[in-house]
Amino acid sequence: MAIDNATIARRYGNALFEVAQEQNSLAETAAELNELKAALNQEPGFVNFMTSPQIDEKAKKDTFSALTANASTLVSNLLNMLFDYRRISNLEAIIDEFNRLYDQERKVVRAVVRTAVELDDQQKDTLAKKFAEVEGANQVILDAKVDPSIIGGVIMQSASHIYDGSIKTKLEKIKRLLLKR
């Protein structure tokens, strides 16, 4: 029976998080994994190369050795295990799961904020502080997006909450009320 990608990411990400926590290296491991993820994003063909049956195993091992040369023991062991078990295609999802657990540990919430116009830094800081109070978080990291279709106001979305204060939504509510009569 095949295991789905989400289950693989949860299991490996959780195991990696627990080992990093035991070794008191959460911050270092997170930084190293995020560097690795950035490198993967710059080389989107890497996973295809590593998983392709047409590529010689020696070429894959040589490439992989270069990748793990400067890695910490923990990350190197993870990468080698993923390579040996042919799960390298799950690497990005495993990193995302580790980051989710790391954020949870530090009470960091990631949220997307959509506004009709670009927000300045002070507005972003104010929104982040208010949203942190609502979420009970130590820090909120905002991903600001401009969406002119909301007309005005703000929509904030985290993994657990959606707050919609957009003019578009308010107009839609008024429209529904008028159409009921």
Side-chain angles (χ1 to χ4, degrees), residues 130-142:
K130 293 287 185 192
F131 201 59
E133 290 173 14
V134 170
E135 290 276 339
N138 291 335
Q139 179 185 8
V140 172
I141 298 172
L142 291 180

Side-chain angles (χ1 to χ4, degrees), residues 9 27 32 73 85 101 112 130-131 136 143 146 155 170 176 178:
E32 189 174 355
T73 304
Y85 292 132
L101 293 168
V112 175
K130 293 287 185 192
F131 201 59
D143 178 13
V146 175
I155 299 173
K170 290 177 184 177
R176 282 194 302 268
L178 290 174

Side-chain angles (χ1 to χ4, degrees), residues 3-161:
I3 301 174
D4 68 354
N5 290 338
T7 302
I8 291 168
R10 261 192 321 276
R11 288 180 182 175
Y12 280 82
N14 193 19
L16 180 64
F17 180 82
E18 287 176 5
V19 173
Q21 195 172 35
E22 287 171 10
Q23 295 178 355
N24 293 321
S25 64
L26 282 173
E28 298 83 6
T29 303
E32 189 174 355
L33 290 173
N34 288 323
E35 257 183 60
L36 183 58
K37 185 175 177 179
L40 289 174
N41 289 333
Q42 288 178 347
E43 282 298 328
F46 174 76
V47 172
N48 290 335
F49 174 83
M50 295 303 289
T51 58
S52 174
Q54 287 85 18
I55 305 294
D56 179 55
E57 284 298 310
K58 182 176 178 351
K60 290 179 186 179
K61 285 184 181 181
D62 290 345
T63 302
F64 206 71
S65 293
L67 179 68
T68 59
N70 295 324
S72 68
T73 304
L74 182 58
V75 172
S76 180
N77 288 344
L78 170 72
L79 293 172
N80 284 315
M81 185 175 12
L82 293 177
F83 181 74
D84 290 344
Y85 292 132
R86 303 195 186 292
R87 297 204 188 280
I88 205 73
S89 61
N90 303 108
L91 179 58
E92 191 167 349
I94 292 167
I95 293 170
D96 290 343
E97 178 63 11
F98 178 91
N99 284 334
R100 186 189 70 75
L101 293 168
Y102 185 52
D103 285 349
Q104 189 176 6
E105 172 80 10
R106 298 178 302 144
K107 292 188 176 187
V108 172
V109 172
R110 294 179 187 274
V112 175
V113 59
R114 291 187 307 158
T115 56
V117 295
E118 187 82 29
L119 296 174
D120 62 33
D121 290 339
Q122 182 180 1
Q123 291 169 321
K124 288 178 191 175
D125 288 344
T126 302
L127 279 174
K129 286 177 184 169
K130 293 287 185 192
F131 201 59
E133 290 173 14
V134 170
E135 290 276 339
N138 291 335
Q139 179 185 8
V140 172
I141 298 172
L142 291 180
D143 178 13
K145 301 198 183 297
V146 175
D147 181 358
S149 73
I150 69 169
I151 304 169
V154 63
I155 299 173
M156 292 192 69
Q157 181 177 357
S158 68
S160 58
H161 293 94

